[in-house]
Amino acid sequence: MRKTFGTGSVWEQTLGYSRAVQVDDTLYISATAASGEDGIVGDDFYTQTRYILQKLGTVLAEAGFSFGDVVQSKLYLTDISKWEDAGRAHGEVFGDIRPSLSLVHVLPFLDPKMLVEIELVAQKGSN
């Protein structure tokens, strides 16, 4: 079974992607930034990571998953020296769940105000 989930973002149509794709009991969530209705939310790594994780919690719930189902997390950071700030926000959500984690240093995103993107993989029955 393959099911897609979208947010209605113009980028999803333009680039031809889904916010998340579920295949059987696994949910793959596209890299997500701290974009809100009025632009990028937060101007530091901690705040953006926290906001993104709130957004991802909604995506997980809409697909019938939870943070407890997350088995892999990837944090893309424009400044790797800020890994502790992003990591603190990540740990507040995943401290007891402990999915696999990659911290990836990237060049600036399309919008230079974007400091962090997060990508998740969740598997039902993993918790």
Side-chain angles (χ1 to χ4, degrees), residues 78-126:
T78 58
D79 181 351
I80 200 67
S81 73
K82 302 296 184 182
W83 69 270
E84 289 179 280
D85 296 332
R88 183 166 45 96
H90 188 272
E92 290 171 0
V93 172
F94 290 112
D96 292 332
I97 300 164
R98 299 186 55 182
S100 68
L101 173 66
S102 297
L103 292 173
V104 183
H105 188 199
V106 299
L107 294 172
F109 296 108
L110 292 174
D111 183 335
K113 294 178 185 173
M114 293 168 45
L115 305 174
V116 180
E117 281 195 350
I118 302 174
E119 182 178 350
L120 299 178
V121 176
Q123 174 81 47
K124 282 207 179 183
S126 63

Side-chain angles (χ1 to χ4, degrees), residues 19-88:
R19 171 60 45 216
V21 176
Q22 181 179 354
V23 178
D24 299 323
D25 290 335
T26 304
L27 185 68
Y28 304 88
I29 303 177
S30 295
T32 302
S35 56
E37 290 182 20
D38 298 323
I40 302 302
V41 175
D43 59 1
D44 63 80
F45 285 79
Y46 175 82
T47 303
Q48 286 194 16
T49 301
R50 236 178 94 138
Y51 183 78
I52 294 166
L53 289 169
Q54 290 170 354
K55 285 176 63 172
L56 293 174
T58 300
V59 173
L60 287 162
E62 287 175 359
F65 289 76
S66 70
F67 282 121
D69 296 316
V70 173
V71 295
Q72 184 179 52
S73 179
K74 294 180 183 177
L75 273 69
Y76 300 95
L77 309 174
T78 58
D79 181 351
I80 200 67
S81 73
K82 302 296 184 182
W83 69 270
E84 289 179 280
D85 296 332
R88 183 166 45 96

